[in-house]
Amino acid sequence: MPTVRTALLQSSGRLGDVTANLRILDEAAGRAAAAGADVLLAPELFLTGYAIGADIARLAEPSDGPSARAVAEIAACHGLAVGYGYPERDTERHGVIYNAAALFGADGAPLAHYRKTHLFGDFELKWFTPGDEPLVQARIGDLTVGLMICYDVEFPENVRAQALAGTDLLLVPTALMHPAEIVPLSVVPVRAFESQMYIAYANRAGAEGDFEFVGLSVLAGPDGTARARAGRGEDLVLGDVDPEALAASRAENPYLRDRRPGLYGSLV
């Protein structure tokens, strides 16, 4: 089976400027496609910026809004799947906004949509409603791809649920801040190893309002190593997801097969 080249866009874009951020995403998609990428992943709330405060009500869009259509065109134009984060306005529940992520295929068709289930900190708890659908998946080539957002991946139960559902590559747009560098440096690679999958973790970079994002975006492999790693600044890094290496790793590390769920009742 062919490898799937994955590009991670590490950028905070332009705060509050959706048009500029769509241009940045388009430019990154062009660079990623030229490097042979099949998938481009941008960070959490990439289209608007993270530290937008009350502007979130103005900048939030429905899942099929103009920005979604623009990203679909970017994906189709460059011929690669594109995943990104944005604030979603619920068109059926007035005033409800989700911290959401969307994934479009290389033909511009919508593949998956996810609402962050574990909100982090006072900012998110004030402005967002948590999602209640923990398992969202799609297909890209021969891979089953899952979606999560930032804090969600820090819960091992979340990632294990994806693994049990057959996820090969977990896409995680994120907005990780100092001093939590342990997450991309240690937690994400361990999650990939213990659940035997690849995890693509695309972070913001630099200062934004009261937040300081640490970068360190990573594509972690099922062996617990970083297959691609960004530094602290703006970057576009690429790494390959190898289905054959994943199958071999799962055979060598049979955590899913050797589980004893009957012993884990206390977890729920």
Side-chain angles (χ1 to χ4, degrees):
M1 291 184 287
T3 59
V4 174
R5 180 155 292 180
T6 304
L8 307 179
L9 173 60
Q10 180 166 286
S11 172
S12 288
R14 303 294 176 266
L15 186 64
D17 192 338
V18 175
T19 300
N21 293 331
L22 285 169
R23 285 198 298 266
I24 293 169
L25 187 64
D26 184 36
E27 187 270 340
R31 289 165 55 203
D38 303 288
V39 186
L40 170 66
L41 181 64
E44 181 178 6
L45 295 177
F46 179 74
L47 292 190
T48 59
Y50 189 91
I52 50 179
D55 277 348
I56 198 165
R58 175 178 61 85
L59 294 170
E61 297 183 21
S63 60
D64 58 353
S67 291
R69 295 192 292 271
V71 176
E73 291 178 6
I74 290 170
C77 175
H78 297 289
L80 79 171
V82 177
Y84 65 99
Y86 77 105
E88 178 204 357
R89 178 184 297 112
D90 191 325
T91 57
E92 297 181 357
R93 299 170 64 195
H94 180 71
V96 171
I97 299 174
Y98 299 100
N99 185 337
L103 177 66
F104 287 89
D107 59 355
L111 294 182
H113 188 272
Y114 174 78
R115 294 165 172 171
K116 190 174 185 178
T117 55
H118 296 75
L119 301 179
F120 177 82
D122 294 340
F123 165 73
E124 293 188 17
L125 291 168
K126 179 177 180 179
W127 294 108
F128 295 113
T129 296
D132 56 10
E133 185 177 359
L135 187 63
V136 172
Q137 294 174 306
R139 293 286 293 180
I140 295 178
D142 295 318
L143 297 180
T144 297
V145 177
L147 270 179
M148 283 185 189
I149 299 173
C150 198
Y151 195 39
D152 291 326
V153 81
E154 297 178 39
F155 294 83
E157 303 91 340
N158 266 5
V159 182
R160 181 52 57 84
Q162 288 276 351
L164 293 173
T167 292
D168 303 308
L169 169 63
L170 183 61
L171 302 177
V172 188
T174 189
L176 187 84
M177 308 156 200
H178 178 77
E181 286 87 343
I182 189 174
V183 177
L185 292 176
S186 299
V187 174
V188 170
V190 167
R191 290 284 173 276
F193 178 70
E194 69 191 6
S195 281
Q196 287 298 294
M197 63 172 62
Y198 286 85
I199 300 179
Y201 186 85
N203 197 15
R204 307 178 71 83
E208 186 180 315
D210 295 331
F211 305 109
E212 180 187 349
F213 301 108
V214 302
L216 301 175
S217 298
V218 62
L219 175 66
D223 59 353
T225 65
R227 302 304 179 89
R229 167 82 70 189
R232 298 277 184 161
E234 304 235 335
D235 207 346
L236 180 71
V237 296
L238 295 98
D240 291 334
V241 173
D242 185 344
E244 293 185 0
L246 178 58
S249 182
R250 286 171 170 171
E252 185 176 350
N253 301 286
Y255 295 122
L256 301 185
R257 186 195 68 199
D258 291 346
R259 292 171 67 251
R260 297 181 62 192
L263 302 180
Y264 312 147
S266 61
L267 292 177
V268 295

